Amino acid sequence: MMRKLLLGLVFSTAATSAVIAAPVTLQVWALDEPVHFTENMAKEFEAKNPDIKLDIKLVNFANILNDTIRAVSTNTAPDLLMLDNPDVASVASHDVLLDLSDRIAASKVVDAKNFYPGPINQSTWKGKIYGFPRGGNTLGLYYNADLFKAAGLDPTKPPQTWDEISAAAAKLTDAKKRQYGFGFSAVATEESTFQFLPWAQSAGGDFNAINTDGSVRALQFWQKLVDDKVATPEVLVLNQPDLGSQFVAGNIGMIVTGCWELPRFANEVKFDWRVALMPVEKAGAPRASALGELAYAVPKTSAHPDEAFKFLEYIYSQSSRDWNEYGWLPLDQTATPKDPKWPEAYAVFAEQMKYARGRGPSPVWPKVSKAIQVAIQDALTHKTDAKAALDTAQSTIDGLIK
Amino acid sequence: MKRYVLLALAILFAAIYLFPVYWMYATALKTSGSIFKYPPELWPSQPLFQVSRVFAEHDIGRYLWNSLLVATGITAITMLLGTGAAYALANARGAKANVALFLVIVLQVLPPSLMVTPLFVAFNHVGLLDYPRTAVVLATAAKTLAFYIVLCRATFTQVPRELKDAALVDGNSHLGAFFLIILPLARNGILITSVLVFLQSFGEYVYSRSFIATRELQTATVNLATYLSANSADWVGLMNYAGIYVAPILIVFILLQRQIVTGLTSGALK
Amino acid sequence: MLQSGFARYLRDGKGFEGTLIVAAVLYLLVFAAFPLLYTVLMSFQEVDMFTLGTLVRPFAGLKNYTDLFQRPEFAPIVWNTVIFVTLSIVFQLAIGFALALFFLQDFPGSTYVRGLFLAGWILPALVVGAVWRWIFAGDFGVLNYALQSLGLIDGQIYWLSDPAYALYSVIIANIWLGIPFNMILLSVGLAGIPGDVYEAAEMDGANVFQRFLTITLPMMGPTLGAVVALGVIFTLQQFDLVAALTQGGPANSSNVAQYWSWQMSFQTYEISGGATVATMMIALVIVVAVIYVRSVQREQSF
């Protein structure tokens, strides 16, 4: 009702050449836990722009794409929403999102040259920018230096290759104490694709070359960690937040997870913890990491695209706070944090970001990702061997992206 | 003596059954590190009351109020439509009645997570999404109705036919017999089934999440689910919220449970 | 007093009762039949992510069905669904019935304690799923701890991540959730059996088991029919538990039809495929409903 009234209001004022700037309420769908980023930004933005209000509805990760599709199909989409970065292409390919390229080019606040290439590539489809990344995140190796010392490992020399990971993990494992050497997430969602691809990429594979020898070796490596019980079989159901909680509890010596965990770890971890670059297959092998983070998008149906973009500009202008306050790398490369918190971790992640590779972009990403998830789960449970599982995934993916 | 052995056994069964509820509250009192300890702490060694934190972070009162409104609406519609239908289906014979009963059962088949998209499309088409809480009430009542009808029908079958026949002989119409004789007799069964429907509706999630776009109108379950997001899993917070959320229901329920159970099991005629 | 035709119709028994039934059925047709028909329709169409808002889409014939049958996961998921429904129903019914009979006995506080079993009814499924996830956790879960302390198992059981156990873990949680419903309905049924029937049988020298077999079971027939019919439907609707506990994994080992349908519709956007699974579930429930209606007919012949 309100929406329609407002819509009517906008059209009628437009017809009478908008004499008064009527206050505008932007409907926003945000995925905001645990840091309340959008909500904080909205408060600051509203204070500076009293004629614009943001009505924020929180959505959860599992539902953002569904909600978007349903809303877009029925013309009930909000003015601004958020998508996981590999999904931007899926939605944009249906021509339902507003192309932001011109607005970005014309903006006095946003300078397209300063975007980190990874996040903005993920938001681009056929040369046009449909997503506005909130920032960028990537994976790293977190380790418990106290456990390293107790196991006779040198905490200043974290493992850098797969073999070193295996060896260190074996030393860090203590079955009696339910303590495991290594942890990753192989849960049957996007998270396992996100976690697995860097391993495959480091060995020369990728999402569209998922059954190469390197990809198979990567999956066999994961498989062996679980078979050897240096990683808990629970990796099959552990999502990344739970993986992080296990690390906080001191149950796992080393985990792979994203920089978004830094604020929480800094608060909750009671031991000496450190961060290292993602391991590679062999010394000298190419480095790789995943590229994550959400992106804002403006549906074509929005009646207030200018106000929505103005809010995005405000977010961009605050980029230099991203690292210290929220634990992710800024959208604007030049907005390096002053006096970064956790400086060693910042150095690692800023370096790791250079090797971060996107997923896709592909308009059928959810299906591509699902094929990879199935292969991971089939191999880790020994339903099939790694090679056969990845062959199946490859033929599915070939059928999808041709 | 035997009676006390039985009581002891009953308490033992209940204790085993209620363990998950206990575990919810025990987890709520732990720290986020200690929930991952092995062996698990059966009783939190350093209980930490975080209720106020959860209250401060979330406008729980508002969301509980929305849940209350929605659950009340669902229960009202279910009672209104279900009571008469249950009574009629308890009496009715023949093919038409069978078809009705058949439809009541079959139309429940799909979980809300699969019904929600078509409903969303339809509600949007007729403008119902502008009244999101009403939309939730209407959609959920279609889910609770079958349960209500089947349970209430069982109550009405226990009202002896002679009583109704006697009422008719006394000059009452069927309408009058229903309101004056049958309904008062089945009152317990109706009230109790309604309480059960209310308790279920209070936990409704899928429709509320999908139909209610405005934050102020969201229900407590939807708010609760924000604890499980991509980059965090605040299990202790979740358990605290859940604990707060079910507390009023538990209290009401403990106060009423004697009536609920005796009302249901002693038949319609007490 | 009441003069109009409709008023007379209402006063008449058939008319009054007919109106009551029609009102409820109409409501259900409006709010529940449309989504079902929409789903059935989609199972015969090609559906794209963004054509949800329209009914007119390319006709696909039986292609969605033949595609579905050819999927390698089809047979295992159907089998999982059969196990899920059967074991859930059998144990919910057995435990619910046992508890209903137990609490029928005369002892102090029986109604109070019985009320406590409604807990499973009160907690939102979302919360139930979260709590059971903690209980089932393989490395630090309290269930493994209890079983080890009792000496029943040696190592740990990975309830949620071992493909051999995952489905059964979901079933155990679902049984817990279904006990109150079964117990209440069966208690209502038991209360409806007149006490003098038992007294007569007792005088004839029938023992407890004979009485159960010759009186309780036959007289509970209709109630059991209702409980099983609703139980099958509730079990087929059990979505939140699967989502909270295993998400159908690992490697589909705990996947069941209702969750698979959702996964196809809302994770990989094979919306027609999801609708096809849902349509097959509808067909199954039609069979269950026919059985229920027939059991009700038997009840009327008492």
Side-chain angles (χ1 to χ4, degrees):
Chain A
M1 202 63 183
M2 268 319 280
R3 259 184 79 82
K4 280 184 187 149
L5 275 179
L6 280 173
L7 260 169
L9 209 65
V10 167
F11 285 131
S12 59
T13 48
T16 55
S17 74
V19 195
I20 321 149
V24 166
T25 301
L26 289 178
Q27 300 292 329
V28 180
W29 289 359
L31 198 152
D32 231 22
E33 299 286 338
V35 288
H36 306 285
F37 175 77
T38 313
E39 290 161 289
N40 295 346
M41 289 291 153
K43 268 182 216 135
E44 297 168 17
F45 178 73
E46 281 174 345
K48 291 194 167 66
N49 299 276
D51 53 335
I52 305 176
K53 290 267 163 292
L54 281 84
D55 180 13
I56 296 176
K57 178 197 175 187
L58 295 184
V59 282
N60 47 14
F61 190 67
N63 298 314
I64 43 176
L65 187 53
N66 292 329
D67 286 357
T68 301
I69 288 170
R70 193 183 299 141
V72 166
S73 312
T74 52
N75 282 325
T76 52
D79 298 296
L80 189 65
L81 46 79
M82 290 176 92
L83 290 167
D84 193 16
N85 71 35
D87 294 333
V88 173
S90 317
V91 179
S93 67
H94 285 85
D95 195 27
V96 295
L97 297 180
L98 195 70
D99 171 14
L100 300 174
S101 315
D102 294 343
R103 282 187 171 78
I104 289 173
S107 171
K108 293 191 184 86
V109 182
V110 182
D111 186 347
K113 287 199 302 292
N114 292 343
F115 285 138
Y116 266 111
I120 206 70
N121 285 345
Q122 284 289 95
S123 293
T124 305
W125 177 244
K126 296 201 168 157
K128 290 176 179 159
I129 303 173
Y130 292 96
F132 197 92
R134 181 169 80 163
N137 69 50
T138 188
L139 293 171
L141 179 76
Y142 291 72
Y143 61 100
N144 181 330
D146 288 355
L147 287 182
F148 264 58
K149 283 174 217 155
L153 293 163
D154 181 355
T156 61
K157 291 201 180 97
Q160 292 179 3
T161 62
W162 295 2
D163 285 344
E164 289 172 24
I165 287 277
S166 297
K171 285 192 179 164
L172 290 165
T173 299
D174 185 344
K176 279 209 191 84
K177 282 156 68 183
R178 311 269 163 125
Q179 178 185 311
Y180 293 92
F182 189 65
F184 52 92
S185 172
V187 67
T189 66
E190 181 67 30
E191 289 177 80
S192 60
T193 310
F194 181 71
Q195 287 244 333
F196 177 69
L197 281 180
W199 300 84
Q201 286 161 349
S202 162
D206 205 343
F207 77 93
N208 50 7
I210 202 69
N211 68 339
T212 59
D213 290 345
S215 302
V216 173
R217 287 197 305 276
L219 190 50
Q220 282 166 340
F221 177 67
W222 269 22
Q223 200 179 36
K224 191 161 182 308
L225 291 168
V226 176
D227 290 349
D228 292 348
K229 300 232 156 62
V230 297
T232 171
E234 299 276 273
V235 293
L236 287 159
V237 290
L238 271 186
N239 58 18
Q240 294 175 110
D242 284 344
L243 183 69
S245 303
Q246 295 266 41
F247 181 71
V248 174
N251 295 346
I252 304 182
M254 303 178 282
I255 63 164
V256 168
T257 193
C259 49
W260 63 80
E261 289 281 25
L262 286 167
R264 164 159 84 129
F265 288 0
N267 255 335
E268 296 181 5
V269 174
K270 303 277 192 293
F271 47 81
D272 176 11
W273 58 281
R274 301 176 197 182
V275 187
L277 288 174
M278 285 283 287
V280 291
E281 187 180 11
K282 292 184 175 67
R287 294 206 168 271
S289 184
L291 174 73
E293 217 18 88
L294 299 148
Y296 293 96
V298 182
K300 267 193 161 171
T301 47
S302 168
H304 311 295
D306 295 326
E307 288 83 355
F309 190 73
K310 200 169 178 189
F311 178 56
L312 296 178
E313 285 182 327
Y314 179 73
I315 288 176
Y316 179 92
S317 72
Q318 301 301 308
S319 287
S320 61
R321 295 160 54 192
D322 285 354
W323 178 265
N324 282 350
E325 288 175 37
Y326 302 104
W328 60 68
L329 293 154
L331 171 61
D332 175 359
Q333 293 190 63
T334 62
T336 41
K338 284 175 207 103
D339 199 5
K341 280 189 191 169
W342 326 292
E344 298 86 1
Y346 178 75
V348 169
F349 281 110
E351 162 93 5
Q352 190 75 66
M353 193 70 185
K354 292 183 197 158
Y355 315 116
R357 287 202 240 166
R359 288 158 281 165
S362 163
V364 287
W365 180 256
K367 290 186 180 119
V368 171
S369 175
K370 180 78 181 177
I372 299 173
Q373 295 160 30
V374 169
I376 294 171
Q377 292 241 320
D378 281 359
L380 293 194
T381 55
H382 288 282
K383 206 169 150 187
T384 46
D385 65 85
K387 171 76 179 141
L390 290 173
D391 282 344
T392 309
Q394 185 69 49
S395 71
T396 310
I397 293 169
D398 285 343
L400 290 168
I401 56 180
K402 279 181 216 117
Chain B
M1 190 57 211
K2 188 192 160 210
R3 299 172 74 228
Y4 289 97
V5 174
L6 287 175
L7 175 62
L9 266 178
I11 291 172
L12 176 71
F13 292 153
I16 295 172
Y17 186 77
L18 289 179
F19 181 78
V21 182
Y22 165 74
W23 204 237
M24 174 178 80
Y25 279 105
T27 308
L29 293 176
K30 292 181 184 176
T31 60
S32 52
S34 67
I35 55 175
F36 290 101
K37 283 276 176 292
Y38 190 88
E41 294 177 348
L42 292 179
W43 174 250
S45 57
Q46 297 158 310
L48 189 65
F49 290 91
Q50 305 199 46
V51 174
S52 54
R53 166 176 82 93
V54 173
F55 248 112
E57 282 175 12
H58 297 264
D59 195 357
I60 294 187
R62 174 200 296 277
Y63 299 118
L64 284 176
W65 171 247
N66 287 330
S67 290
L68 186 71
L69 279 184
V70 166
T72 309
I74 294 166
T75 313
I77 291 188
T78 308
M79 282 177 80
L80 205 65
L81 286 167
T83 311
Y87 163 71
L89 284 170
N91 290 334
R93 305 272 187 283
K96 281 182 193 162
N98 286 345
V99 169
L101 204 53
F102 173 81
L103 281 175
V104 166
I105 299 292
V106 167
L107 291 175
Q108 311 307 309
V109 46
L110 293 182
S113 52
L114 296 177
M115 302 271 278
V116 65
T117 299
L119 280 176
F120 189 94
V121 171
F123 282 7
N124 177 58
H125 200 70
V126 298
L128 247 179
L129 289 183
D130 293 331
Y131 308 95
R133 286 179 297 195
T134 312
V136 173
V137 167
L138 291 173
T140 315
K143 281 264 150 226
T144 50
L145 201 52
F147 167 77
Y148 184 89
I149 288 176
V150 169
L151 256 190
C152 264
R153 209 190 70 87
T155 309
F156 283 118
T157 53
Q158 292 172 14
V159 178
R161 247 200 117 67
E162 305 87 63
L163 277 175
K164 186 184 143 199
D165 293 340
L168 289 174
V169 169
D170 288 347
N172 281 300
S173 65
H174 279 265
L175 198 67
F178 176 63
F179 281 107
L180 298 174
I181 312 289
I182 314 283
L183 269 192
L185 282 172
R187 191 188 59 216
N188 265 345
I190 292 168
L191 283 179
I192 276 101
T193 316
S194 307
V195 169
L196 292 177
V197 166
F198 178 86
L199 293 174
Q200 278 261 294
S201 325
F202 203 69
E204 205 290 317
Y205 172 62
V206 174
Y207 291 145
S208 307
R209 198 192 66 67
S210 308
F211 295 154
I212 304 177
T214 314
R215 199 166 168 187
E216 278 71 41
L217 304 180
Q218 273 172 6
T219 59
T221 29
V222 180
N223 191 232
L224 174 74
T226 59
Y227 268 104
L228 300 170
S229 73
N231 293 349
S232 85
D234 182 0
W235 291 100
V236 174
L238 176 87
M239 297 294 174
N240 269 292
Y241 196 116
I244 296 172
Y245 170 55
V246 299
I249 327 176
L250 276 176
I251 291 167
V252 170
F253 174 71
I254 288 168
L255 294 176
L256 285 180
Q257 55 118 337
R258 214 178 104 84
Q259 281 88 330
I260 293 176
V261 179
T262 45
L264 269 180
T265 53
S266 58
L269 301 175
K270 298 235 171 95
Chain C
M1 287 288 269
L2 298 167
Q3 295 300 325
S4 75
F6 182 67
R8 219 173 311 120
Y9 176 74
L10 275 184
R11 285 171 62 99
D12 170 55
K14 275 235 164 78
F16 173 60
E17 294 178 6
T19 310
L20 293 175
I21 296 177
V22 167
V25 169
L26 265 184
Y27 184 86
L28 288 176
L29 286 177
V30 170
F31 289 103
F34 171 74
L36 291 195
L37 293 177
Y38 179 97
T39 304
V40 174
L41 179 69
M42 284 200 299
S43 78
F44 295 104
Q45 291 179 324
E46 282 172 38
V47 186
D48 171 84
M49 257 162 135
F50 288 101
T51 55
L52 285 174
T54 167
L55 290 176
V56 188
R57 287 170 286 235
F59 182 66
L62 288 173
K63 187 170 175 301
N64 293 326
Y65 288 85
T66 49
D67 283 356
L68 193 74
F69 299 147
Q70 279 162 10
R71 281 168 174 261
E73 65 267 41
F74 178 76
I77 291 176
V78 168
W79 182 235
N80 284 348
T81 312
V82 171
I83 296 178
F84 180 71
V85 172
T86 313
L87 289 186
S88 295
I89 298 288
V90 166
F91 282 95
Q92 285 175 0
L93 198 66
I95 298 172
F97 208 170
L99 286 171
L101 287 169
F102 179 82
F103 282 104
L104 205 60
Q105 302 176 82
D106 176 40
F107 61 87
S110 66
T111 52
Y112 284 106
V113 183
R114 176 164 52 186
L116 297 175
F117 279 85
L118 285 174
W121 188 265
I122 298 172
L123 299 183
L126 202 70
V127 174
V128 173
V131 174
W132 276 98
R133 216 180 114 111
W134 280 100
I135 294 174
F136 281 132
D139 289 318
F140 46 84
V142 71
L143 180 60
N144 273 345
Y145 176 69
L147 293 175
Q148 280 175 329
S149 306
L150 295 170
L152 294 174
I153 54 170
D154 280 336
Q156 353 16 349
I157 293 177
Y158 288 95
W159 293 98
L160 303 176
S161 55
D162 185 334
Y165 289 95
L167 178 63
Y168 299 97
S169 307
V170 182
I171 292 173
I172 290 171
N174 190 44
I175 292 170
W176 185 85
L177 206 56
I179 286 175
F181 167 75
N182 280 262
M183 192 189 76
I184 299 170
L185 240 67
L186 292 166
S187 295
V188 173
L190 286 173
I193 303 177
D196 45 6
V197 184
Y198 283 107
E199 282 159 27
E202 215 171 344
M203 292 220 276
D204 291 346
N207 67 27
V208 178
F209 293 103
Q210 285 166 332
R211 272 177 279 156
F212 179 75
L213 288 176
T214 56
I215 303 173
T216 314
L217 266 189
M219 293 203 71
M220 287 293 282
T223 311
L224 287 170
V227 173
V228 171
L230 283 178
V232 169
I233 289 166
F234 283 176
T235 307
L236 280 177
Q237 289 195 20
Q238 188 42 265
F239 174 84
D240 306 273
L241 271 187
V242 186
L245 290 175
T246 62
Q247 303 176 321
N252 275 333
S253 61
S254 64
N255 210 352
V256 286
Q258 64 271 32
Y259 194 75
W260 192 35
S261 171
W262 177 86
Q263 277 186 322
M264 279 205 250
S265 301
F266 301 116
Q267 281 195 323
T268 50
Y269 302 98
E270 298 159 278
I271 298 168
S272 313
T276 308
V277 175
T279 304
M280 293 169 65
M281 287 167 59
I282 297 172
L284 175 68
V285 168
I286 287 177
V287 175
V288 174
V290 168
I291 296 173
Y292 168 68
V293 172
R294 295 188 61 151
S295 83
V296 165
Q297 277 174 318
R298 266 190 288 131
E299 158 194 8
Q300 286 163 350
S301 63
F302 269 118

